[in-house]
Amino acid sequence: MLSVNDAEAIILNLVQPLDAQRDIEVVDLLTADSRILATPVTSSLDFPHWDNSAMDGYAVRYEDVQYASAEQPVILEIIEEIPAGYQPKSTIQPGQAARIFTGAVIPTGADTIVIQERTRREENRVFILAAPQPQEFVRHKASFYQAGTPLLSAGIRLNPADIAVLAAAQCPQLNVYRRPRVAIFSTGNELVMPDQPLEPGQIVDSNQYALAALVKQSGAEPLLLGIIKDEPDALQEAIAYAIANADIVISSGGVSVGDYDYVDKILELLEAKIHIRAVGMKPGKPLTVATFPTQHSSLYFGLPGNPAAVLVTFWRFVQPAIKKLSGVTEGWKPIFMKVRSRDELRSDGKRETYLWGKLHLIDGVYEFHKAGGGHSSGNLINLAQTNALAILPIGKTLISPEEKVQVLQIGNL
């Protein structure tokens, strides 16, 4: 049985990111949110495109106004008005100024902006009541970005600010990595779909719905294969189809040691190399991770059947694998935090134990609140609205209230 850290290292070493030459698609800006940029972006434009004013006021020559004060204002002739989007027609000469507005092009000859609050206007004359700093409120051409230099690097997940930058840089289409395809199926004769009536002994398959939502949240496309009965032929057909059509395959159930747990045997029939069979964690001990011969590059995750164990093993192992596969260069590793525990946390100390709950920000400090009720691997109900897993290492049986505990962030804070 592997440790959690050893299992994580094996899994992440198995993951090969999508290929920047083969696995790309072209999208427009309106569909680019949260996509992973596959190629670096440069622009032929400088930012700002030209010297422009950061404020409403007057474009002047600094040497004309450097000694201005309320007691001895400098009087300048206004020769032009320059709104945004207008190309100045005049050159500012000694003793002259131009009325200018935010974002407007600074006219030739001017090098400084005097904001209107420090002036008084009378007809075509402006009184400068305070000396500005040299080049004050001037946004110089290319001071934000110089044309031809790197603008955005490959491997970033595009956010709204990135898209605004790309729009301003006149990059209407982008090369992004395709979304990884993740096949999902559940195994078990006892499973039924949510819209089917329950017979005695049956349970609803919640795992497939949870996994589909988690896969989408991770930036991948779920391929739902439904419920597969505990029959070797049906399972072999489902797995063979999944590995031929997906980058990652996730099954839930069928990986323990029961008489109807066939997954590992079928993987061996398909010439899979099984890298992991069990992990020293609770919940989530029965975990199968496998790869296939070179014609199939899929990474297979056989997760436990109990719903809490499915979610915990996905958050701990599968989500980082999907994110790394997607081509993102950073932000794919699990996010751990050391926080104060509000509640008493207990474990038998035999395996690394995960307890779910919620992080609250209390007086500027995050605090972990354990979810109420039982923390059995079969209890799905109290996982609702959780955003963190407290981790008790092997040998640690008690964390007292107010004591620090390491947590894995699993949702938005």
Side-chain angles (χ1 to χ4, degrees):
M1 186 165 58
L2 291 170
S3 71
V4 172
N5 287 340
D6 286 346
E8 177 188 55
I10 289 170
I11 291 166
L12 294 179
N13 283 335
L14 291 171
V15 176
Q16 296 300 317
L18 294 176
D19 188 276
Q21 301 298 320
R22 185 181 65 247
D23 296 313
I24 65 171
E25 51 190 47
V26 179
V27 298
D28 62 37
L29 283 177
L30 291 177
T31 59
D33 184 43
S34 297
R35 300 302 299 269
I36 311 301
L37 193 61
T39 55
V41 174
T42 60
S43 175
S44 60
L45 299 174
D46 291 318
F47 287 84
H49 309 320
W50 44 73
D51 290 356
N52 71 88
S53 177
M55 301 288 284
D56 292 348
Y58 294 86
V60 302
R61 290 159 25 100
Y62 174 72
E63 61 187 287
D64 285 345
V65 298
Q66 59 183 313
Y67 301 116
S69 66
E71 294 76 22
Q72 291 185 312
V74 171
I75 305 171
L76 302 174
E77 178 190 7
I78 303 170
I79 63 167
E80 189 173 16
E81 184 168 294
I82 309 172
Y86 173 82
Q87 182 63 40
K89 302 294 192 295
S90 304
T91 297
I92 303 301
Q93 304 292 342
Q96 295 180 337
R99 177 73 166 117
I100 197 166
F101 297 89
T102 303
V105 178
I106 292 176
T108 303
D111 58 17
T112 300
I113 302 299
V114 179
I115 59 174
Q116 62 187 30
E117 292 87 346
R118 298 173 184 168
T119 67
R120 184 178 79 251
R121 180 170 180 171
E122 294 181 5
E123 297 180 345
N124 70 332
R125 296 187 304 165
V126 61
F127 291 71
I128 309 300
L129 306 177
Q133 295 297 313
Q135 303 185 54
E136 191 169 19
F137 299 118
V138 173
R139 295 188 290 217
H140 291 284
K141 178 182 178 180
S143 59
F144 302 162
Y145 168 81
Q146 187 174 4
T149 60
L151 182 63
L152 294 178
S153 58
I156 63 170
R157 186 179 301 277
L158 294 169
N159 62 32
D162 301 326
I163 290 170
V165 169
L166 291 164
Q170 295 188 316
C171 299
Q173 291 188 316
L174 309 167
N175 291 330
V176 299
Y177 287 106
R178 65 172 176 82
R179 296 185 191 276
R181 293 181 292 270
V182 180
I184 302 168
F185 64 90
S186 302
T187 68
N189 295 331
E190 75 280 14
L191 299 177
V192 297
M193 300 297 285
D195 58 351
Q196 293 178 275
L198 277 176
E199 301 293 338
Q202 292 183 326
I203 59 174
V204 175
D205 176 23
S206 62
N207 290 344
Q208 192 162 184
Y209 291 85
L211 289 169
L214 287 166
V215 164
K216 288 181 182 177
Q217 191 180 78
S218 303
E221 293 180 354
L223 173 62
L224 301 182
L225 303 184
I227 297 169
I228 310 300
K229 296 296 184 183
D230 287 323
E231 300 169 359
D233 289 345
L235 280 169
Q236 184 168 343
E237 181 180 350
I239 293 173
Y241 178 84
I243 63 177
N245 290 277
D247 303 293
I248 288 177
V249 180
I250 306 174
S251 65
S252 63
V255 293
S256 192
V257 291
D259 291 342
Y260 296 95
D261 294 325
Y262 298 117
V263 168
D264 282 12
K265 297 174 185 175
I266 291 167
L267 291 174
E268 291 171 352
L269 285 174
L270 293 170
E271 300 182 337
K273 180 177 181 180
I274 299 180
H275 302 269
I276 298 172
R277 295 180 185 270
V279 180
M281 64 186 296
K282 182 180 181 182
K285 177 183 174 182
L287 173 69
T288 295
V289 177
T291 53
F292 298 87
T294 54
Q295 65 265 33
H296 300 300
S297 59
S298 298
L299 179 60
Y300 189 97
F301 288 93
L303 306 186
N306 282 319
V310 165
L311 290 171
V312 170
T313 50
F314 183 95
W315 283 317
R316 188 64 185 86
F317 300 119
V318 185
Q319 188 171 67
I322 293 174
K323 289 182 176 181
K324 182 180 179 184
L325 175 68
S326 72
V328 68
T329 53
E330 59 183 29
W332 51 265
K333 293 183 179 180
I335 299 173
F336 297 101
M337 303 169 62
K338 200 83 169 179
V339 302
R340 184 173 60 207
S341 178
R342 171 72 176 272
D343 307 300
E344 182 178 275
L345 308 177
R346 287 189 172 273
S347 162
D348 63 12
K350 296 177 181 178
R351 286 180 279 160
E352 187 166 296
T353 300
Y354 292 73
L355 301 172
W356 40 96
K358 195 160 188 176
L359 287 170
H360 292 279
L361 192 61
I362 310 294
D363 296 329
V365 177
Y366 278 110
E367 192 174 79
F368 177 78
H369 293 226
K370 179 186 171 187
H375 282 242
S376 158
S377 63
N379 183 11
L380 178 65
I381 302 304
N382 64 348
L383 270 160
Q385 291 298 298
T386 55
N387 63 11
L389 300 172
I391 305 170
L392 278 69
I394 294 173
K396 184 75 172 179
T397 59
L398 172 66
I399 289 179
S400 302
E402 304 302 316
E403 189 179 345
K404 289 291 185 72
V405 62
Q406 186 180 49
V407 300
L408 170 63
Q409 182 184 331
I410 60 173
N412 295 326
L413 302 183

